[in-house]
């Protein structure tokens, strides 16, 4: 693995205008008419250094329409014209890589970890380089012995660097390998044999340490791929059970999972009951009860009893597979800070090279300085000024943040959203299914006669059980929970817009809303007062009547989520204002808003009205987020700077379209996302200041003649490791 001196991750096009980039630089391929896409696995492509080389080489080829780099899987997707592939593969091979064209019909498999290189050549090189230093300083042998030992050390550990450096220079790319090759060669030419050898040894050691550090960020996401077991126990046609590969399991197959086993595929429980730990998918802290009819997800852990479930998604289409795909796509996108660093480094590197050349030439020519001293200082400057630490800090931090969020059940679709979340000033929330459970329940029951009769409740439940209206279903569910025995209803009839009626034990009964009571002429001032009081609380009210009087009153409401109250409070602590946008009436909106504590509530809104509110808020300079779970929220979700989808587990559309998908219905993940965004940005700034600050200090020391090449390599290696480990701190949360 080479060190990342020139990072240029690709950015997928999004619906936000500030994310648009030229097609060739886009991470998501936009094929031209007649273009085809080909997946090419390149084992050596694990760093932006290689990405830049490949992009520059393929960008000059005719017939190439787009490129998509996935450094995590070491896969390049090329959109090209028919026949252009014959030029693409040789162009990649010319860079010293070994491309392998994948079978387009095969399931995409995660890249295996690269084989570890033997350590002994580096260890032997270190011993030989040390011997060269000892012989030189102690004058234990002739100069030719010092040179031979130094060249042996460089040959043992530096040939790969020289090879990469030469390829980079041929492609007019001044990456770290090119700069290091020039510096070591320059040191040899001016007779600094021991220092040239030790610099190459230290650089190779830095590569090794950095590669191990970066693998931790990659493994944080690759670990998701290992959550689902590769084999599962499937029921056969003869009733027996057989363990087979999950890739071969068809939709509709019945799979058995024992206590303690991981669930292999998405499905619906058809037998048994258990508790399932869904934390790997939804981030929920407590196990969830599962029984017949409940969904289960690949990668979750069956804890208590044995379960049998019917497969509802193939291995490549499970919720876990879609999460992995989304995280990989997000890992390839560039956040604003990362774009700045990429652009800065493309200008910075050639400027530094030109400056180093001037340092080597101008002082001896203009002021009579010693050529040896100034050439040496220029070589030190090349090593010190390499932007490796600056460039590598941003992708490591972003990938760590994306992986940390995924562990919490927060699926972020790109680094741009992870970083911009810190700017969130106003959050709009849908009501039904977002702030509330979306399932009306009975909240009140009130006898209207002086003598309470329990049979009235039975009559109401019997009528409600015959209706499919949500309010009636809530009353019927309460009766079922209480174990009430229902009565036969004859001549049942729905009264559109009012309620229903029917005969029970020969008695004509009505049950319906306020309009029905007025239609029957049974309304009174006292009843009006009670109805109005409940309606102002945001509740739907129905009344049970006979032909002479109102008998009993019931109220139904959509209950708020407890997590919603806590989330709103946390958002307020973070300085984020909240507003509820709902199609329900203003009374209901105000009542729910009061219960959860949102700053503002707007009712009677159509989807177009929600969109207009988002746009009006943005016109006032606010960064607006939108939380929703339904199709009617889609326009507002699309227009907001950050769209949050609720309960995305198992939902294709939410995972595909949302900027941030909350894998369960816990709104507290939104303030967690804001905090993670702010911490990510803080670490990015820390790394930039650290990298540039240390380089500025050593730049001054170099010009003053106080820095050596040893110190330059230690400074470059040290600051690179510091920013990498600083970025990895996000994984500890």
């Amino acid at each position: 693995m080479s060190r990342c001196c020139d990072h240029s991750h690709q950015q997928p096009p999004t619906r936000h205008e500030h994310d648009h980039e030229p097609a060739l630089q886009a991470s998501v391929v936009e094929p031209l008419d007649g273009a085809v896409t080909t997946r090419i696995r390149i084992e050596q492509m694990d760093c932006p250094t290689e990405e830049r080389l490949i992009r520059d080489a393929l960008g000059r080829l005719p017939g190439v329409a787009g490129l998509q780099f996935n450094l995590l899987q070491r896969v390049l997707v090329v959109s090209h014209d028919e026949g252009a592939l014959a030029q693409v593969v040789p162009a990649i091979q010319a860079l010293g890589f070994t491309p392998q064209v994948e079978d387009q019909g095969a399931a995409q498999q995660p890249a295996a970890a690269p084989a570890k290189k033997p350590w002994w050549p580096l260890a032997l090189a270190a011993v030989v380089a040390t011997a060269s230093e000892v012989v030189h300083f102690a004058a234990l042998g002739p100069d030719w012995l010092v040179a031979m030992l130094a060249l042996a050390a460089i040959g043992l550990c530096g040939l790969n660097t020289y090879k990469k450096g030469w390829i980079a220079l041929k492609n007019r790319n001044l990456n770290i390998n090119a700069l290091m090759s020039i510096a070591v060669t320059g040191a040899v030419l001016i007779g600094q044999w021991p220092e040239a050898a030790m610099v190459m040894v230290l650089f190779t050691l830095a590569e090794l340490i950095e590669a191990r550090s970066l693998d931790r960020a990659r493994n944080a996401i690759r670990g998701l791929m290992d959550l689902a077991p590769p084999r599962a126990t499937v029921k056969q046609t003869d009733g027996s059970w057989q363990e087979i590969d999950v890739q071969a399991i068809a939709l509709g197959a019945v799979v058995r999972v024992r206590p303690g086993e991981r669930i292999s595929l998405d499905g619906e429980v058809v037998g048994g009951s258990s508790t399932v730990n869904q934390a790997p998918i939804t981030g929920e802290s407590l196990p969830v009860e599962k029984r017949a009819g409940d969904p289960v997800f690949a990668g979750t852990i069956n804890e208590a009893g044995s379960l049998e479930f019917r497969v509802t998604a193939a291995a490549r289409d499970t919720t876990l597979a879609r999460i992995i795909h989304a995280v990989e796509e997000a890992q390839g996108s560039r956040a604003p800070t990362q774009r700045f660093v990429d652009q800065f480094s493309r200008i910075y590197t050639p400027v530094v090279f030109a400056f180093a050349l001037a340092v080597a030439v101008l002082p001896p020519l203009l002021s009579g300085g010693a050529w040896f001293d100034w050439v040496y200082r220029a070589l030190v400057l090349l090593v010190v000024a390499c932007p490796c630490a600056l460039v590598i800090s941003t992708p490591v931090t972003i990938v760590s943040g994306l992986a940390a969020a995924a562990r919490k059940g927060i699926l972020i679709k790109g680094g741009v959203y992870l970083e911009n979340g810190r700017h969130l000033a106003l959050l709009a929330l849908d009501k039904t299914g977002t702030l509330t459970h979306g399932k009306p329940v009975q909240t009140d029951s009130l006898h209207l006669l002086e003598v309470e009769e329990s049979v009235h409740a039975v009559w109401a439940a019997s009528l409600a059980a015959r209706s499919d209206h949500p309010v009636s279903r809530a009353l019927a569910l309460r009766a079922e929970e209480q174990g009430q025995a229902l009565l036969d209803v004859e001549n049942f009839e729905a009264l559109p817009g009012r309620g229903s009626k029917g005969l029970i034990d020969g008695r004509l009964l009505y049950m319906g809303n306020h309009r029905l009571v007025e239609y029957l002429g049974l309304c009174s001032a006292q009843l009006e007062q009670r109805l109005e009081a409940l309606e102002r609380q945001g509740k739907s009210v129905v009344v049970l009547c006979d032909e002479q009087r109102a008998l009993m009153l019931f109220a139904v409401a959509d209950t708020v989520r407890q997590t919603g109250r806590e989330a709103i409070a946390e958002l307020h602590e973070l300085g984020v204002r909240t507003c509820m946008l709902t199609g329900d009436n203003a009374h209901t909106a105000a009542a729910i808003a009061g219960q959860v504590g949102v700053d503002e509530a707007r009712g009677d809104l159509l989807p177009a009205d929600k969109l207009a509110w988002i746009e009006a808020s943005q016109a006032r300079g606010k960064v607006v987020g939108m939380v929703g779970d339904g199709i009617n929220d889609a326009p507002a979700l699309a227009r907001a700077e950050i769209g949050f989808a609720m309960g995305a587990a198992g939902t294709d559309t939410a995972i595909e379209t949302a900027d941030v998908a909350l894998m369960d219905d816990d709104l507290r993940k939104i303030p967690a996302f804001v905090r993670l965004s702010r911490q990510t940005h803080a670490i990015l700034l820390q790394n930039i200041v650290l990298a540039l600050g240390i380089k500025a200090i050593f730049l001054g020391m170099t010009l003053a003649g106080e820095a050596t090449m040893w110190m330059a390599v230690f400074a470059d290696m040290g600051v690179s490791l510091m920013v990498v480990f600083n970025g990895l701190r996000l994984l500890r949360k």
Side-chain angles (χ1 to χ4, degrees):
M1 170 178 172
S2 66
R3 298 183 64 188
C4 307
C5 180
D6 182 18
H7 190 293
S8 43
H9 275 307
Q10 309 309 322
Q11 170 65 32
T14 71
R15 50 182 164 71
H16 301 302
E17 59 184 11
H18 56 268
D19 289 338
H20 292 167
E21 293 192 8
L24 188 59
Q25 296 185 22
S27 180
V28 174
V29 177
E30 295 290 349
L32 300 178
D33 292 339
V36 296
T37 58
T38 301
R39 286 173 54 90
I40 303 175
R41 187 177 298 278
I42 307 172
E43 290 300 328
Q44 298 87 352
M45 188 187 72
D46 56 4
C47 172
T49 300
E50 290 84 24
E51 178 185 335
R52 172 75 182 279
L53 279 172
I54 295 170
R55 180 158 54 84
D56 288 347
L58 299 188
R60 296 190 291 266
L61 295 180
V64 175
L67 303 174
Q68 175 187 356
F69 290 90
N70 188 326
L71 300 183
L72 184 70
Q73 288 193 351
R74 297 179 174 86
V75 169
L76 167 65
V77 179
V78 184
S79 177
H80 57 87
D81 295 338
E82 290 285 356
L85 188 62
Q87 295 177 298
V88 169
V89 173
I92 298 175
Q93 291 173 334
L95 299 176
F97 304 139
T98 54
Q100 296 177 333
V101 178
E102 292 190 344
D103 181 1
Q104 300 301 301
Q108 298 176 15
Q109 298 294 328
K116 293 184 178 180
K117 296 180 180 179
W119 59 269
W120 67 263
L122 177 58
L124 182 57
V127 172
V128 175
T130 302
S132 176
E133 288 282 2
V134 171
V135 171
H136 173 70
F137 282 108
L140 298 179
D143 290 343
W144 64 264
L145 179 59
V146 174
M148 291 297 294
L149 290 172
L151 288 175
I154 293 172
L156 283 168
C157 68
L159 292 182
N160 192 46
T161 299
Y162 269 108
K163 178 182 176 182
K164 292 179 180 179
W166 174 243
I167 292 173
L169 289 173
K170 284 199 305 181
N171 288 272
R172 299 184 296 278
N173 188 314
L174 290 173
N175 62 24
I176 181 60
N177 297 296
L179 294 179
M180 189 57 61
S181 298
I182 293 172
V184 171
T185 302
V188 168
L189 293 177
I190 63 175
Q192 294 293 309
W193 297 98
E195 195 156 4
M198 192 58 71
V199 163
M200 185 60 80
V201 168
L202 291 174
F203 172 71
T204 308
L205 178 62
E207 277 193 307
L208 181 63
I209 297 174
E210 194 172 273
R212 297 292 185 267
S213 302
L214 289 175
D215 279 343
R216 183 180 172 192
R218 291 190 176 91
N219 291 338
I221 296 177
R222 190 184 291 120
L224 293 172
M225 303 174 184
D226 299 328
L227 290 177
R231 299 178 67 81
T233 305
V234 182
K235 190 173 186 178
Q236 306 300 302
T237 54
D238 60 0
S240 63
W241 296 87
Q242 182 179 349
E243 189 176 277
I244 62 176
D245 193 304
V246 294
Q247 302 290 339
I249 299 177
L251 295 178
V254 176
V255 176
R256 182 175 65 192
V257 55
R258 298 180 179 86
E261 291 182 343
R262 286 189 180 271
I263 295 173
S264 54
L265 296 162
D266 286 5
E268 180 180 312
V269 177
V270 295
S273 62
S274 181
T275 56
V276 175
N277 181 352
Q278 297 189 155
I281 300 297
T282 66
E284 293 170 285
S285 58
L286 296 176
V288 179
E289 294 282 345
K290 298 290 183 180
R291 54 179 60 88
D294 290 337
V296 291
F297 305 112
T300 57
I301 305 167
N302 181 32
E303 292 194 338
S306 180
L307 286 177
E308 295 178 13
F309 65 90
R310 181 175 290 107
V311 176
T312 58
R316 64 184 303 166
D317 298 323
T318 64
T319 300
L320 177 63
R322 293 198 304 274
I323 291 173
I324 293 169
H325 175 72
V327 173
E328 289 172 350
E329 291 294 322
Q331 183 254 354
S333 68
R334 292 187 292 171
T337 301
Q338 192 169 340
R339 294 184 189 182
F340 161 75
V341 168
D342 291 345
Q343 295 167 358
F344 177 81
S345 65
R346 296 193 69 170
I347 300 172
Y348 171 86
T349 304
V351 167
V352 165
F353 186 82
F355 181 66
L357 188 61
V359 167
V361 174
L362 294 182
L365 291 179
L366 299 180
S367 60
W371 282 95
F372 178 92
D373 291 341
W374 287 103
V375 169
Y376 182 81
R377 293 183 193 185
L379 296 176
V380 174
L381 183 62
L382 281 182
V383 179
V384 169
C386 174
C388 183
L390 177 65
V391 173
I392 204 171
S393 66
T394 49
V396 169
T397 303
I398 294 298
V399 170
S400 298
L402 294 172
R407 289 177 178 178
K408 298 178 181 178
I410 306 171
L411 185 57
I412 305 174
K413 297 299 289 296
V416 62
Y417 308 116
L418 173 61
E419 190 172 349
N420 284 346
R422 67 190 177 90
H423 295 300
L424 192 65
L426 182 59
L427 184 68
L429 303 101
D430 178 44
K431 180 185 76 71
T432 306
T434 300
L435 286 171
T436 66
H437 289 94
K439 297 178 180 178
V441 296
Q442 180 181 320
T443 59
D444 301 86
S445 63
L446 179 64
H447 290 273
L448 300 176
L449 302 180
E450 293 183 2
V451 179
E452 298 183 4
E453 296 189 30
S454 59
V455 70
H456 292 167
V458 178
W459 288 346
S462 300
L463 283 171
R466 296 291 300 273
S467 173
D468 60 357
H469 191 279
V471 173
S472 295
R473 288 202 298 268
L475 300 184
L477 179 61
R478 174 61 64 88
E480 181 182 341
E481 292 172 349
Q482 295 177 345
Q484 290 182 349
L486 302 182
L487 303 175
D488 292 333
V489 180
E490 299 177 352
N491 299 330
F492 178 84
E493 181 182 349
L495 304 174
R498 293 189 177 93
S500 61
K501 67 177 182 178
L503 290 172
I504 297 181
D505 293 334
R507 187 168 183 172
L508 181 59
L509 298 168
Y510 298 84
M511 189 168 70
N513 56 24
H514 196 165
R515 288 194 297 273
L516 176 62
V517 179
E518 291 180 343
Y519 173 77
L520 296 174
L522 302 178
C523 211
S524 65
Q526 183 181 15
L527 181 58
E528 286 273 5
Q529 185 178 2
R530 290 176 173 175
L531 289 172
E532 184 178 355
L534 289 170
E535 287 172 348
R536 285 193 174 277
Q537 297 175 29
K539 298 176 180 179
S540 300
V541 185
V542 294
V543 184
L544 176 68
C545 309
D546 60 15
E547 295 180 279
Q548 290 80 35
R549 54 193 172 176
L551 304 175
M552 196 169 181
L553 178 151
F554 300 89
V556 169
D558 188 2
T559 56
V560 302
R561 300 180 187 274
Q562 178 60 35
T563 56
R565 296 189 185 96
E566 299 173 10
I568 297 300
E570 291 182 36
L571 286 168
H572 288 163
E573 292 177 0
L574 294 169
V576 180
R577 285 183 55 81
T578 54
C579 179
M580 184 177 70
L581 307 179
T582 178
D584 282 354
N585 63 70
H587 286 316
T588 300
I592 297 298
Q595 293 180 53
V596 297
V598 297
D599 298 303
E600 182 182 358
R602 293 177 177 266
D604 300 310
L605 298 182
L606 298 173
D609 298 324
K610 295 182 180 181
L611 175 60
W613 186 90
I614 295 286
E615 292 175 337
S617 299
Q618 291 171 329
R620 297 196 301 270
K622 302 288 187 181
V623 175
V624 184
M626 175 68 192
V627 190
D629 70 331
I631 295 176
N632 63 328
D633 300 318
L637 283 169
R639 187 65 184 89
E641 274 83 1
I642 304 178
F644 297 87
M646 287 286 290
T651 307
D652 292 328
T653 304
I655 293 179
E656 293 296 329
T657 61
D659 301 326
V660 179
L662 311 182
M663 300 310 293
D664 61 1
D665 295 325
D666 192 346
L667 282 171
R668 292 174 298 182
K669 286 183 168 56
I670 296 179
F673 162 78
V674 174
R675 286 191 290 266
L676 179 63
S677 173
R678 294 180 180 180
Q679 185 180 12
T680 300
H681 181 73
I683 290 178
L684 287 172
L685 288 184
Q686 291 168 13
N687 286 343
I688 290 173
V689 171
L690 188 66
L692 293 181
I694 291 179
K695 289 186 181 300
I697 293 172
F698 272 86
L699 175 62
M701 293 176 61
T702 301
L703 294 178
E706 299 297 327
T708 66
M709 291 188 71
W710 279 46
M711 295 169 60
V713 173
F714 273 121
D716 182 60
M717 176 180 69
V719 74
S720 295
L721 294 178
M722 288 170 68
V723 298
V724 167
F725 289 132
N726 194 34
L728 292 175
R729 286 195 298 124
L730 291 171
L731 292 175
R732 298 206 306 266
K733 298 296 180 182

